[in-house]
Amino acid sequence: MDQQLIEKVMKQVSSELGIKQEPEKPVCGGAVGLTEFVGTAIGDTIGLVIASVDPMLVDVMKLGKYRSIGIIGGRTGAGPQIWAVDEAVKATNTEIISVELPRDTKGGAGHGSLIYIGADDVSDARRAVEIALSVLPKYFGDVYANDAGHLEFQYTARASYCLEKALGAPVGKAFGMTCAGPAAIGTVLADIAVKAANVEVVGYCSPGGGTSYSNEVILTFTGDSGAVRQAVRAAIEAGKKMLGALGDVPKSSTTPYI
């Protein structure tokens, strides 16, 4: 049986059985067709909502008084998602329930993220998720990477409740972060940052203390807005040189904002 005859028979059988010959296009964006789906963004980040969490899960998920929740989850990056959700809670009638930083090697040596946002009304939860996804590319601007590792820097002039929940930031004050993997570079960046400006250390995380055993050192700090920005900028310049010594010049994921 020649090839043309085979194809003719296959088409006829497929037609009789109602089978489409052309492969279906991948589903993305709003085409998912689920009310729980909000959208996706950089860093393999997905935004979801649950209008009313099943009562059997409320206690085990530690949701407190909330039944409607927004969910931000990312494979790559934790700082960008935290800063983006911090913007979202400033602009909506929502509250941060929890922030978790799971170990995830897709982005190299660092973390992923899982953030629950509580709201009395699901429309508020959805709006918070939409805002977080929309501003997320900004906060990937000062994430730099090459094959050897990554650098992550963040800054805000006014920290809000997501940063307080996740990183102990003082609400309403300037807040900054330096992070690098491998952890050896992150250690030096922490020292450079605190020497560069008059800042107060809020937290220090290393592979065995404060991270999910990731190969990173993370420093968070507060102080005058100008001082915090100066400390972050000094660490950026030094970090790019050190990580660049291990490979290609580290590139920004989007557009630097600090």
Side-chain angles (χ1 to χ4, degrees):
M1 188 179 292
D2 61 32
Q3 186 64 32
Q4 289 184 338
L5 182 56
I6 292 174
E7 291 178 358
K8 183 177 179 180
V9 171
M10 288 180 65
K11 286 181 180 179
Q12 183 176 349
V13 172
S14 297
S15 178
E16 291 174 355
L17 296 176
I19 300 172
K20 295 180 179 179
Q21 287 296 298
E22 294 182 358
E24 294 184 4
K25 294 180 180 180
V27 175
C28 61
V32 169
L34 295 172
T35 59
E36 294 88 353
F37 179 78
V38 179
T40 60
I42 187 172
D44 291 308
T45 303
I46 189 166
L48 304 163
V49 295
I50 301 177
S52 181
V53 176
D54 191 284
M56 289 192 295
L57 295 177
V58 170
D59 289 338
V60 295
M61 291 176 66
K62 300 179 181 178
L63 301 184
K65 67 177 182 177
Y66 293 110
R67 301 297 177 269
S68 296
I69 64 169
I71 305 166
I72 292 288
R75 293 284 321 267
T76 304
Q81 286 85 351
I82 293 170
W83 254 258
V85 173
D86 201 63
E87 293 292 330
V89 296
K90 290 176 186 176
T92 58
N93 185 26
T94 56
E95 182 179 333
I96 297 300
I97 297 172
S98 63
V99 180
E100 297 183 60
L101 307 182
R103 177 160 170 72
D104 196 316
T105 58
K106 181 166 187 177
H111 295 90
S113 53
L114 175 63
I115 304 173
Y116 291 163
I117 305 166
D120 292 325
D121 192 300
V122 68
S123 63
D124 290 324
R126 178 177 289 273
R127 181 59 184 150
V129 171
E130 289 172 346
I131 292 171
L133 293 176
S134 69
V135 301
L136 187 56
K138 170 187 174 181
Y139 292 110
F140 267 94
D142 281 289
V143 175
Y144 305 85
N146 61 17
D147 289 341
H150 70 276
L151 309 165
E152 186 178 329
F153 306 96
Q154 302 293 344
Y155 163 82
T156 181
R158 184 173 64 88
S160 191
Y161 298 108
C162 188
L163 287 169
E164 180 191 38
K165 174 73 79 172
L167 301 171
V171 174
K173 295 190 66 175
F175 189 69
M177 183 183 81
T178 67
C179 170
I185 294 176
T187 303
V188 176
L189 293 186
D191 184 67
I192 288 172
V194 297
K195 286 177 177 175
N198 184 22
V199 294
E200 178 184 345
V201 173
V202 173
Y204 178 89
C205 300
S206 64
T211 71
S212 296
Y213 298 101
S214 60
N215 189 8
E216 296 175 296
V217 161
I218 304 168
L219 180 76
T220 56
F221 44 90
T222 188
D224 175 80
S225 178
V228 173
R229 185 185 287 270
Q230 181 179 339
V232 174
R233 284 179 170 172
I236 290 173
E237 294 307 312
K240 288 164 70 175
K241 291 177 181 179
M242 284 185 280
L243 186 58
L246 295 175
D248 296 333
V249 176
K251 300 292 177 60
S252 169
S253 303
T254 56
T255 302
Y257 76 95
I258 301 173

